[in-house]
Amino acid sequence: MALSKLVFPLIRALQVITLIPIWGMLAYFVHKFNKQHTDPPVEILILFITALIATGWAIISFFQFHRSRTISLIVFIMDMLIFGTFVAGVVLLRYVKDSDCAAFSAPVGGKWGDHDWSWDNGSGWDVSFKKSCMLLKASWILAIVDTALFFISSVVALMIYRRNETRAVREKTYVVDHRKTTGRRRRWF
């Protein structure tokens, strides 16, 4: 019990730390598409909106989690919903995993026996990056991390709820000691 109440705030803090860069990077794409008067792709919008809602929820539940016993059930339900939308966003943006976002070229040469050889594309040393590709790939990877974190936090919240529920049942139940009764039967009405 004490471990799960310690783990939950740490997971929430890690979620906030990883969610803010996601919506920061995806805001770049939303702004870029809005400047061109076109709608952003659905996969970008799903991850962007989910990251915004998840950040707000993570901050609110971080500060309100200790207030009542039933909030852990609400946290479980909301975390599972956010987990599901992150899974949808990650699946829709999966085409980014195969894209090559950086290129590197170097002049290579050598000598083998009496033969000299070289392999050069004419530009010498060169490193190039595709900004849009790198931003999408980074936000996709962070969304995968947050998917796992929201699943873990929902399981922890469910564990805390079940623990609180059994404690509440124990507090409400009482044991009747039949040895202390006088043997006379009481009337119920």
Side-chain angles (χ1 to χ4, degrees):
M1 177 62 178
L3 180 64
S4 58
K5 284 202 173 188
L6 175 70
V7 168
F8 186 79
L10 295 175
I11 291 173
R12 277 293 190 236
L14 186 59
Q15 286 172 348
V16 171
I17 289 170
T18 55
L19 281 168
I20 292 173
I22 291 174
W23 54 262
M25 288 184 280
L26 293 177
Y28 166 79
F29 293 105
V30 172
H31 176 70
K32 185 173 147 182
F33 281 104
N34 282 341
K35 247 174 47 177
Q36 297 172 353
H37 302 293
T38 59
D39 292 333
V42 174
E43 57 271 10
I44 291 175
L45 279 180
I46 287 176
L47 272 181
F48 179 65
I49 293 169
T50 302
L52 283 175
I53 292 171
T55 303
W57 173 248
I59 291 171
I60 290 170
S61 64
F62 179 79
F63 290 113
Q64 297 294 325
F65 190 72
H66 66 282
R67 290 190 150 233
S68 77
R69 289 182 177 178
T70 58
I71 197 163
S72 54
L73 180 63
I74 297 167
V75 168
F76 168 72
I77 292 168
M78 282 297 295
D79 281 3
M80 287 308 283
L81 290 173
I82 292 171
F83 166 75
T85 56
F86 265 124
V87 167
V90 166
V91 167
L92 287 174
L93 201 61
R94 72 183 176 271
Y95 65 86
V96 175
K97 73 177 178 180
D98 295 326
S99 57
D100 190 16
C101 299
F104 174 76
S105 65
V108 178
K111 185 171 186 160
W112 183 271
D114 292 335
H115 303 286
D116 288 334
W117 61 272
S118 68
W119 179 50
D120 189 6
N121 61 357
S123 63
W125 294 89
D126 186 33
V127 177
S128 63
F129 301 104
K130 299 174 189 169
K131 180 180 178 180
S132 296
C133 176
M134 292 183 83
L135 288 175
L136 269 180
K137 195 172 261 195
S139 60
W140 182 69
I141 291 169
L142 285 173
I144 292 173
V145 169
D146 274 317
T147 303
L149 287 175
F150 270 98
F151 181 76
I152 292 169
S153 68
S154 66
V155 169
V156 170
L158 185 64
M159 288 171 42
I160 292 172
Y161 174 75
R162 294 203 47 179
R163 174 74 177 169
N164 287 341
E165 186 181 73
T166 57
R167 184 185 311 147
V169 168
R170 262 190 261 137
E171 290 173 359
K172 290 180 182 179
T173 58
Y174 59 92
V175 177
V176 176
D177 191 3
H178 292 290
R179 291 176 284 159
K180 294 183 181 179
T181 59
T182 60
R184 200 175 68 177
R185 187 162 233 204
R186 292 187 181 177
R187 297 192 136 190
W188 293 100
F189 47 94

